[in-house]
Amino acid sequence: MKSVGKEQDITRMKELVSILNKASRVYYQGQDEMMSNYEYDKLYDELCALEDRTGITMSASPTVHVGYETISELPKERHIAPMLSLGKTKEVSELESWIGGERGLLSLKLDGLSVILTYENGRLAKALTRGNGETGEVITNNAKTFVNIPGKISFDGTLVIRGEALIRYSDFREFNTRLADVSERYKNPRNLCSGSVRQLNNEITAVRRVRFYVYHVIQTVPEQSFSGKKDELDWLAEMGFDIVPYKEVTKDNIAEQVAAFAEEVVTCDLPSDGLVVTFNDIAYSASLGRTAKYPKDSIAFKWRDELADTTLREIEWSASRTGLINPVAIFDPVELEGTTVSRASVHNVSILKELKLGIGDTISVYKANMIIPQIYENKTKKNNCGIPSQCPVCRGDTELVQENGSIVLMCRNPECEAKKIKSLSHFVSRDAMNIDGLSDATLEKLINMQILHSVLDLFTLDRHREELVEMEGFGERSYENLVRSVEAARDVPAANVLYSLGIRGIGLSTARLIIKKFPWKLSEFKDLKRDDLTGIDGIGEVLAGSFVDFFADSKNDELVRGLQDILRIQYPVTEKEQKLEGKTFVITGSLEHFANRNECKKRIEELGGRVAGSVSSKTDYLVNNDTMSMSAKNKKAKELEIPILTEEELMALLEQ
C-alpha cells in the first residue's frame, strides 16, 4: 500500500509532467511562452528530484522523451542520427567537476532553432529542423535564404552539420518597429525565428534576416579526421561558416571564462540562454556514448537570473478597454540587471492567489529574459490581498470569470471610463481609423465635456467648434487639423474598420483574413457562426467565440450600423475580379503615379497578383520606369525574356 507521502509525490509528478510538456509544446512551436526559462527549470528540477525519490518515471515525462512533433504543413524526414538535447546545471562548481582533467570548449548556448544542414558536392542539398529529435521538418528552400551561410563550399563530399538558426537582437528590433500594431509584435527573437524558419514562402524567411551558427559536425564523407573539436570548428570557419562563439577551458579557468561570458552576453547581439561545455578530444567524447536523452560529452550551463528580495507595498488594479482588471505588484525599489524596478505584473487573479500575496510580504523578484520584472517567490505568504468588488476607475461592480484556465477580474460596467478612453484610443490609432490629434488626454477631456459618448460622436465634432477651439491645449489650428483628419478617415478599408472595433483578440492581420473570406457589410457579420470562422486558417475557437459574441450584442449591432452609414468603407475586390491571379510582379526604381511601392504592391495584390523581391523564372512582369536601365533586375528580366513594364503600362494593365 502506497504511503500518503508517496501518493502525493506521484500526484505532483503527474501535474508537473502535464505543465512542462505543455510549456515545451508552446516553446518548440514558436508560440508565446507560458513561462520563463527560470520558471521552467525550477519545475523541471522539482520533477527530477521527485523521480529520484520515488524511483518512478512517468512515460510522458520530459526527462525521458525528446521534443515534440511540430505543427506544420512542411514535409518531414528522419535524421541520420538522433538530435539529442543536453543535460544542464546552474552551478559553476558542477562544471569544474564535470570537466575534470580534460580540456574543453565553452560556447554560447544560442537561443534560436536547431537546424541540420547537409551539403553535397559543395552545395546545400537539404536542411531539417530538429523536430522531435528523430524526425525534422524539411526547410531547404528557407535555409537557402539564411543570410550568412555559404552557397558553395570547398569540400566536395557530403557534409552534415548542426547549428542554430537565429535572428539577432538588432534585426529583431528593426523588424518589430515595422509592425504598427503593437499586439502583432513578437515578444522575443526566438519566436520570430521559429516562425520565419518554418515558413511555406521563403521570401518571408529572406526578409527576416535569419542567420546560422554551426557548433557540431555530424558526418563527413569521405571522413575527415580531427583530433579536437576546436580543429573541427576551425575547419568549418575556413569554409565560410559562422561558428558559435567559444573559449578554450580547463578545470582551472572555467569559472573565469563563465564570468567573462556573463559580461559579454549583456551587450551581445546574439540571443543566448546559457553556455555549453563540450570535451575537445573527439575520440574521448565518442567513447562516452549517450543516455536515451543526452550525449555524455556535453553539458549546458543555464544562467542564474538575478534575484532580489523586497517588500510588497501595494496591489494596484489596472483596467483595460476589454474590461479586464489586472493586478500589478508595487514594491520597494530594487536593482535588477542594471536598472531600478518597483512594479511587476501579476497577470491575473489565479497567480495572485497561487502566490498568496499580502501587503508587507517579503518577495523575490527577477527580470524574465533579463527584461520583464516578475515575482519569483513569496517568502512570507500573508495572503491578505483582497479582490476589489468595484472597478478602480468607474466604481462599477466587478466579477471573477474563468478564462483560458485562469481566473480573471472583469469590470461589468459598459460605460466604464477606462473602457471608453482606451476603446476610443484604439479606434483612432494608426492601424484602425488613423485619426490624428486625439491623445488619451484629449479624449478624456472630450468625455468629461460630454462631447464624446461613443466613437460615432467623433464624426460630429464639427458641431462643437467653439468648445474645441477654447479647450485648454487646443486652438483653431488643432481644431481644423482634427476635423480634416476625421473627414479623411471616412474613406477606410473594411479590415481597418473591423480592427478598430476592438474585438478581443482580433488584430489587423486577423481582420484582413476575415474580410477576405467574408467581404460583407459590417451589419451582416452577426450572421456568422463559429464554424464559419474556424474554417479560416489561423482562427481558432477562442477568437471565433470572441468575434461571434461581439456581433451578437445588440449595442454593438447598433454601433456597426451607425459606422456603416457614416463611413465610405472600401472592400477588397471579389474573387471574380482577380484578373491578376497567378501573376508575379517585381517592382524596382522610383514611382511617379503611386505614393510608394507599398501602394503599388497593394493595388496588384487587390487584383490577385503577387509581388516578389527579386526576378526569377517565376516572374511574369518587372515594373521599372527606366526600361533601358542596365540594373541587375533589368538584365535578369531580359535574359529570361520577362516583359518590363513602365508605370503607365502597369496602370493600363490594372485598369483593363
Side-chain angles (χ1 to χ4, degrees):
M1 183 174 176
K2 288 190 294 187
S3 69
V4 173
K6 190 169 186 179
E7 190 170 345
Q8 290 175 339
D9 284 348
I10 293 171
T11 300
R12 178 59 175 162
M13 285 164 59
K14 289 180 178 179
E15 181 184 9
L16 289 169
V17 167
S18 175
I19 294 170
L20 292 169
N21 284 346
K22 185 176 181 181
S24 292
R25 276 195 298 275
V26 169
Y27 181 80
Y28 282 109
Q29 289 166 13
Q31 303 167 20
D32 289 344
E33 296 99 328
M34 289 172 52
M35 60 182 70
S36 69
N37 289 341
Y38 194 98
E39 292 164 317
Y40 182 94
D41 291 342
K42 181 186 176 187
L43 296 180
Y44 188 96
D45 291 343
E46 182 186 351
L47 178 60
C48 289
L50 288 170
E51 288 178 347
D52 288 342
R53 186 161 74 212
T54 61
I56 297 171
T57 302
M58 311 306 295
S59 60
S61 173
T63 64
V64 294
H65 71 79
V66 181
Y68 286 90
E69 288 288 342
T70 51
I71 301 171
S72 170
E73 298 175 37
L74 294 167
K76 308 239 182 354
E77 187 173 313
R78 289 187 67 84
H79 296 298
I80 61 173
M83 297 298 120
L84 304 176
S85 56
L86 296 175
K88 64 181 184 302
T89 181
K90 293 183 180 179
E91 303 295 338
V92 175
S93 59
E94 286 190 34
L95 294 183
E96 292 172 333
S97 175
W98 182 87
I99 199 169
E102 296 293 320
R103 302 187 69 83
L105 301 185
L106 178 70
S107 62
L108 283 179
K109 185 175 183 292
L110 299 175
D111 191 19
L113 195 71
S114 189
V115 170
I116 296 86
L117 302 183
T118 299
Y119 280 75
E120 296 281 3
N121 300 317
R123 295 190 180 276
L124 180 65
K126 183 168 58 184
L128 297 175
T129 65
R130 176 177 176 271
N132 67 354
E134 297 288 342
T135 302
E137 296 165 306
V138 180
I139 56 162
T140 310
N141 286 339
N142 293 336
K144 288 177 179 177
T145 72
F146 291 175
V147 296
N148 67 331
I149 65 169
K152 187 176 187 302
I153 59 175
S154 57
F155 184 65
D156 291 330
T158 297
L159 171 65
V160 185
I161 55 177
R162 182 176 177 181
E164 200 82 358
L166 57 80
I167 293 175
R168 300 180 309 180
Y169 283 120
S170 54
D171 293 324
F172 168 73
R173 287 190 290 267
E174 180 184 341
F175 180 84
N176 252 0
T177 58
R178 297 201 299 266
L179 299 176
D181 183 358
V182 175
S183 67
E184 293 184 357
R185 292 180 181 175
Y186 289 80
K187 287 191 173 180
N188 54 57
R190 189 188 191 283
N191 283 8
L192 177 59
C193 180
S194 180
S196 302
V197 167
R198 298 163 62 239
Q199 285 288 331
L200 297 179
N201 179 354
N202 67 352
E203 287 186 44
I204 297 174
T205 310
V207 300
R208 294 182 180 180
R209 299 186 61 76
V210 179
R211 297 171 184 273
F212 178 82
Y213 292 82
V214 64
Y215 51 75
H216 179 50
V217 172
I218 297 172
Q219 183 185 66
T220 55
V221 179
E223 185 176 356
Q224 302 298 295
S225 178
F226 303 104
S227 60
K229 184 73 178 288
K230 182 181 183 301
D231 300 329
E232 184 181 272
L233 293 177
D234 289 346
W235 179 70
L236 291 171
E238 287 175 5
M239 285 190 289
F241 291 99
D242 282 343
I243 59 176
V244 61
Y246 73 87
K247 303 176 187 292
E248 296 181 73
V249 293
T250 64
K251 181 180 180 179
D252 295 332
N253 76 342
I254 193 167
E256 176 187 337
Q257 298 292 21
V258 168
F261 262 128
E263 287 185 15
E264 293 170 15
V265 77
V266 176
T267 55
C268 183
D269 206 17
L270 305 181
S272 166
D273 59 356
L275 302 171
V276 174
V277 187
T278 187
F279 292 119
N280 186 52
D281 190 320
I282 292 175
Y284 177 68
S285 291
S287 72
L288 298 174
R290 60 183 177 88
T291 67
K293 186 175 173 70
Y294 307 127
K296 293 183 178 179
D297 70 332
S298 302
I299 187 171
F301 173 80
K302 303 284 284 185
W303 299 118
R304 278 191 177 278
D305 291 281
E306 184 180 346
L307 288 172
D309 285 354
T310 184
T311 301
L312 180 66
R313 297 300 180 187
E314 180 187 352
I315 293 293
E316 180 183 282
W317 295 87
S318 176
S320 72
R321 66 179 172 82
T322 61
L324 272 177
I325 304 174
N326 298 314
V328 178
I330 312 297
F331 45 81
D332 291 342
V334 289
E335 290 288 322
L336 284 176
E337 313 291 353
T339 62
T340 302
V341 296
S342 59
R343 54 194 293 127
S345 174
V346 187
H347 302 296
N348 55 50
V349 175
S350 289
I351 295 175
L352 183 82
K353 290 184 173 181
E354 184 180 329
L355 288 169
K356 297 182 179 179
L357 290 175
I359 306 305
D361 270 333
T362 298
I363 57 175
S364 293
V365 295
Y366 70 105
K367 279 189 175 181
N369 297 321
M370 300 176 74
I371 298 171
I372 305 168
Q374 300 280 315
I375 297 176
Y376 169 65
E377 181 183 15
N378 181 8
K379 296 187 173 181
T380 49
K381 296 183 172 61
K382 292 184 178 179
N383 200 23
N384 61 12
C385 286
I387 311 299
S389 59
Q390 292 182 322
C391 171
V393 176
C394 70
R395 314 314 298 173
D397 291 340
T398 61
E399 180 182 359
L400 292 172
V401 178
Q402 281 278 351
E403 186 175 274
N404 297 328
S406 297
I407 301 172
V408 298
L409 187 66
M410 301 287 293
C411 171
R412 287 308 184 193
N413 176 15
E415 302 301 318
C416 178
E417 188 174 313
K419 290 183 184 180
K420 280 188 179 181
I421 293 172
K422 291 176 182 179
S423 292
L424 284 163
S425 180
H426 174 77
F427 184 83
V428 303
S429 64
R430 184 174 63 178
D431 283 342
M433 299 301 294
N434 193 25
I435 300 175
D436 290 331
L438 288 171
S439 65
D440 283 6
T442 300
L443 289 169
E444 186 174 359
K445 288 177 184 177
L446 295 178
I447 291 171
N448 292 336
M449 293 166 66
Q450 300 295 304
I451 291 175
L452 281 185
H453 301 280
S454 82
V455 297
L456 298 177
D457 296 324
L458 290 166
F459 299 92
T460 58
L461 288 176
D462 56 345
R463 299 176 187 173
H464 303 276
R465 181 182 178 281
E466 290 184 12
E467 295 163 273
L468 290 172
V469 168
E470 299 199 7
M471 186 173 70
E472 184 182 353
F474 230 57
E476 188 71 41
R477 181 177 293 180
S478 295
Y479 167 79
E480 294 293 345
N481 289 339
L482 175 58
V483 170
R484 199 161 34 244
S485 184
V486 168
E487 183 57 33
R490 291 179 189 268
D491 296 294
V492 59
N496 296 69
V497 183
L498 186 58
Y499 169 66
S500 76
L501 298 175
I503 304 169
R504 192 161 187 191
I506 305 296
L508 182 57
S509 295
T510 305
R512 285 173 177 153
L513 291 175
I514 295 171
I515 292 294
K516 184 176 181 181
K517 179 71 173 178
F518 303 105
W520 300 355
K521 291 183 177 180
L522 293 177
S523 58
E524 295 174 345
F525 281 131
K526 67 178 184 299
D527 298 326
L528 281 177
K529 304 293 187 292
R530 294 187 185 214
D531 289 347
D532 297 323
L533 292 157
T534 54
I536 301 174
D537 187 28
I539 297 182
E541 288 290 340
V542 174
L543 288 186
S546 179
F547 189 93
V548 169
D549 290 346
F550 180 90
F551 283 96
D553 188 303
S554 59
K555 288 187 178 180
N556 292 333
D557 184 54
E558 183 180 340
L559 169 65
V560 297
R561 287 180 183 277
L563 287 173
Q564 205 166 262
D565 293 338
I566 291 170
L567 303 175
R568 296 180 286 269
I569 301 175
Q570 303 155 5
Y571 291 91
V573 180
T574 62
E575 291 297 323
K576 291 182 180 178
E577 297 171 287
Q578 301 284 284
K579 56 190 176 187
L580 298 183
E581 187 169 3
K583 300 296 184 182
T584 299
F585 294 74
V586 173
I587 306 168
T588 190
S590 60
L591 298 173
E592 298 173 3
H593 298 286
F594 294 95
N596 49 47
R597 289 188 191 178
N598 282 339
E599 184 182 315
C600 183
K601 177 182 177 182
K602 179 182 177 183
R603 182 70 177 125
I604 292 169
E605 290 176 342
E606 284 174 348
L607 296 174
R610 175 176 170 272
V611 177
S614 58
V615 177
S616 72
S617 59
K618 296 180 181 179
T619 304
D620 293 288
Y621 300 101
L622 172 64
V623 179
N624 189 351
N625 281 324
D626 186 359
T627 58
M628 303 306 293
S629 166
M630 296 303 292
S631 68
K633 287 180 180 176
N634 270 31
K635 287 181 181 178
K636 186 73 170 178
K638 289 174 181 177
E639 287 174 11
L640 298 173
E641 298 183 348
I642 293 167
I644 303 175
L645 305 179
T646 64
E647 204 172 345
E648 287 80 5
E649 289 170 329
L650 170 65
M651 292 172 71
L653 181 64
L654 297 176
E655 293 167 6
Q656 282 179 359

